[in-house]
Amino acid sequence: MSLNLETRDFFLLPLVSSILLTIVYFLFNEIARYTARVKGLKGPRGLPVVGNLHQATAEQHRLWAKEYGPVFQIQLGNVPVVVVNSAAAAKNLFLTQTSALNSRPVFHVFHKIVSKNVLSIGTSPWDDSCKRRRKAAATALNRSKTESYLPILNLEVTEWIRDLYEEGNGGALAFDPTDLTHRLSLNLSLTLNYGFRAESTKDFQNSPLLQEVVHIETEIGKLRSTGSNYSNYIPALRILDRIKEILHISPGPAYGRDIGKRRLAYIAFLATSKQRISKGTDNACIQGGVLKDPEASNLTEEELISISFSMMAGAETTTPTIGWGILFLAHHPDIQAQAYNTIVSGINPSNPLAPGSPQVDYLMAFTKEIMRYYTPLRLALPKATSGPAIWDGTTIPANTMVFLNSWSCNRDPIPFPNPDVFKPERWMKKEGGQRESLSHYTFGYGGRMCVASHVANQGLYMAFLNLVARFELSPGDGVEDINEGCIDPMKGIQDVRATRAGPKGVKVRFVPREGRKNIEK
Ligand code: HEM
């Protein structure tokens, strides 16, 4: 009998102590979570331990703004996050108080495991080095430099059009264009950044380095994601991850470390750029611009690599934006016809990119409206306060994480009346030209806004312009292809928790307007 009791105690004691320890941990953790909140700012509290982690989507934040006001706080595990949801609030915080809201948060997974040594600009907290890197990249990508990149954009878009023609067998077959669009985006990033590209689809598929870049960028996107990677917000999960790694149950942090190391292979691109510049055989490109800029001569090797990382990350956002645009056009023959008619009436439709061709206002307005309506980066990139900021009398302390809900700002009825209606005309002046005073929030806002907005905007415009001028688009024949839900910015989204809001891959038919001749021009 006594032996039995001892045996039971042997098993009971550790069990009871671990249950007690867990309870104590949860109690202390809940106190920590409670005290971490921004004092005086309303917001949903969510569940114990996870807070609002399971609800953290841009659309949910937009709905909460109706209840808690345009600026409120959520809690991701232990971390309070201030969410900014209206155009006026964004102006008040990110523009009027820029210096307090210029930083980026430090995440456990990305900053301490994946990218310990070199950070891209978009993930760097604000300091002198970040300032230098951002200035160098912004100079190489400003409005006037964008002009020198037009031939690159033209070449890539023309190749993409040819690919769409070939893949669809001249309009006979419907197909999902995501892969081809991804290649366009990646080639754009490579050429813009380093001045060289994959010459053909074959080159692209056969190059282990390019295939590696595609894989690494996709994985980096996941490891950077603010909506997943729960160990960023729940410290206990970090211990569990480590245990799983030691017991070989899952790769755990080792996977992130490996991806981070493999990303450093992009140094090979940088070395090629440098060689070409020293031989005088370089083409206009961002790295060339940075390397030749006397003001950027003090950049260290790590800072140059950081700029490379930042440029490659941009490719990931171009693909979903073009993806939505293609689907929208395929399902809206009316808008397609209007866009085509404005091209025909304005410039030669078979060569809309001829040098000197005037900008087609309706197509530029269409480009902006696609960006507003779908908002591919719905929570922009996470920001952090570098000093105290004030909202409506409440102090948001330094080192608080802040989300700009671009999706919600783009649905703000004050700058955008009837925000749920797709209306390119909202961007155009009655007397012609664009309404320069109006801007969407898709490139972010304030001191850390996208440095490549001019180039990205021009690239998207050229893609849509060529698409409409060359093809008549229509949905494929499958049930999913014709379902109108696929162009709904909420129902049609591939993964609502992903950082980038891309469409589900559905099929589209690209029928050439004037047959092969038009494509070859
Ligand atoms: C459709 C295309 C693109 C969209 C929608 C987009 C959007 C954004 C957004 C929302 C941010 C964060 C802004 C903020 O925090 O306020 C950002 C930052 C950034 N983007 Fe883009 N981007 C695009 C293309 C690109 C491209 C092609 C490049 C590079 C060539 C690029 C380079 C950057 C960099 C370096 C930053 C970090 C800026 C900083 O932290 O100071 N982006 N972008």
Side-chain angles (χ1 to χ4, degrees), residues 45 49 62 68 78 95 144 178-179 182 253 316 399 493 519:
R45 288 180 179 274
V49 184
R62 188 181 75 87
Y68 299 107
N78 287 18
L95 213 58
S144 68
T178 310
D179 284 351
H182 198 198
E316 293 295 307
N399 297 321
I493 198 167
I519 305 301

Side-chain angles (χ1 to χ4, degrees), residues 153-440:
L153 300 177
N154 191 8
L155 171 71
E156 295 305 338
V157 168
T158 310
E159 294 276 316
W160 174 63
I161 292 287
R162 187 166 297 152
D163 284 348
L164 292 172
Y165 179 89
E166 305 281 354
E167 184 81 12
N169 200 3
L173 294 174
F175 65 98
D176 172 6
T178 310
D179 284 351
L180 293 184
T181 306
H182 198 198
R183 187 168 77 82
L184 163 74
S185 310
L186 196 71
N187 246 347
L188 269 178
S189 284
L190 280 175
T191 331
L192 281 174
N193 195 21
Y194 303 106
F196 60 87
R197 58 193 293 276
E199 289 294 335
S200 65
T201 316
K202 243 195 197 154
D203 266 11
F204 190 78
Q205 281 157 354
N206 294 342
S207 159
L209 188 53
L210 292 184
Q211 289 306 311
E212 173 78 352
V213 170
V214 173
H215 174 69
I216 297 292
E217 288 306 316
T218 312
E219 292 310 293
I220 288 282
K222 290 181 197 159
L223 292 160
R224 260 174 80 161
S225 163
T226 44
S228 41
N229 299 305
Y230 287 0
S231 57
N232 283 332
Y233 313 109
I234 305 176
L237 290 182
R238 295 172 203 168
I239 303 167
L240 271 181
D241 283 348
R242 188 75 187 106
I243 293 173
K244 282 196 254 171
E245 184 182 5
I246 292 168
L247 299 178
H248 299 286
I249 296 171
S250 76
Y255 182 71
R257 272 195 295 275
D258 179 53
I259 292 290
K261 253 192 237 150
R262 281 158 66 183
R263 189 161 67 143
L264 286 170
Y266 298 0
I267 295 170
F269 294 137
L270 195 60
T272 312
S273 279
K274 280 184 179 169
Q275 256 176 19
R276 288 180 189 213
I277 289 169
S278 67
K279 284 188 198 152
T281 55
D282 57 308
N283 301 316
C285 70
I286 296 163
Q287 285 293 345
V290 171
L291 290 167
K292 288 178 193 169
D293 177 358
E295 283 196 43
S297 59
N298 56 352
L299 289 174
T300 64
E301 192 73 7
E302 280 79 20
E303 287 173 332
L304 289 172
I305 298 166
S306 156
I307 296 175
S308 294
F309 286 176
S310 318
M311 300 302 120
M312 296 315 290
E316 293 295 307
T317 323
T318 312
T319 309
T321 315
I322 297 182
W324 286 117
I326 289 176
L327 285 185
F328 188 89
L329 286 169
H331 284 255
H332 281 275
D334 51 334
I335 296 223
Q336 227 181 118
Q338 189 168 352
Y340 184 67
N341 289 339
T342 55
I343 298 173
V344 183
S345 59
I347 54 177
N348 177 357
S350 61
N351 194 3
L353 297 173
S357 282
Q359 175 180 294
V360 184
D361 270 335
Y362 187 80
L363 258 296
M364 183 50 89
F366 172 84
T367 305
K368 292 181 186 167
E369 186 66 347
I370 285 286
M371 298 201 82
R372 179 196 76 83
Y373 191 74
Y374 288 105
T375 317
L377 265 180
R378 296 199 173 167
L379 292 174
L381 295 183
K383 307 198 200 235
T385 47
S386 46
I390 308 288
W391 168 253
D392 200 18
T394 298
T395 302
I396 304 168
N399 297 321
T400 305
M401 201 189 318
V402 182
F403 286 167
L404 164 70
N405 189 350
S406 303
W407 161 254
S408 185
C409 295
N410 278 340
R411 287 277 183 290
D412 184 333
I414 298 177
F416 308 111
N418 296 321
D420 293 326
V421 177
F422 187 92
K423 195 175 168 205
E425 290 79 5
R426 70 172 83 242
W427 299 97
M428 292 156 69
K429 287 196 269 195
K430 281 206 176 71
E431 64 276 22
Q434 302 286 302
R435 286 178 61 202
E436 299 298 344
S437 57
L438 188 65
S439 41
H440 56 66

Side-chain angles (χ1 to χ4, degrees), residues 68-96:
Y68 299 107
V71 177
F72 60 82
Q73 66 179 313
I74 54 166
Q75 208 156 0
L76 301 181
N78 287 18
V79 183
V81 183
V82 173
V83 191
V84 180
N85 295 279
S86 75
K91 186 170 178 192
N92 179 310
L93 284 162
F94 297 117
L95 213 58
T96 318

Side-chain angles (χ1 to χ4, degrees), residues 20-34 49:
L20 275 176
L21 261 176
T22 312
I23 292 172
V24 171
Y25 170 82
F26 281 127
L27 276 177
F28 274 100
N29 197 55
E30 283 314 291
I31 295 170
R33 277 179 11 88
Y34 180 80
V49 184

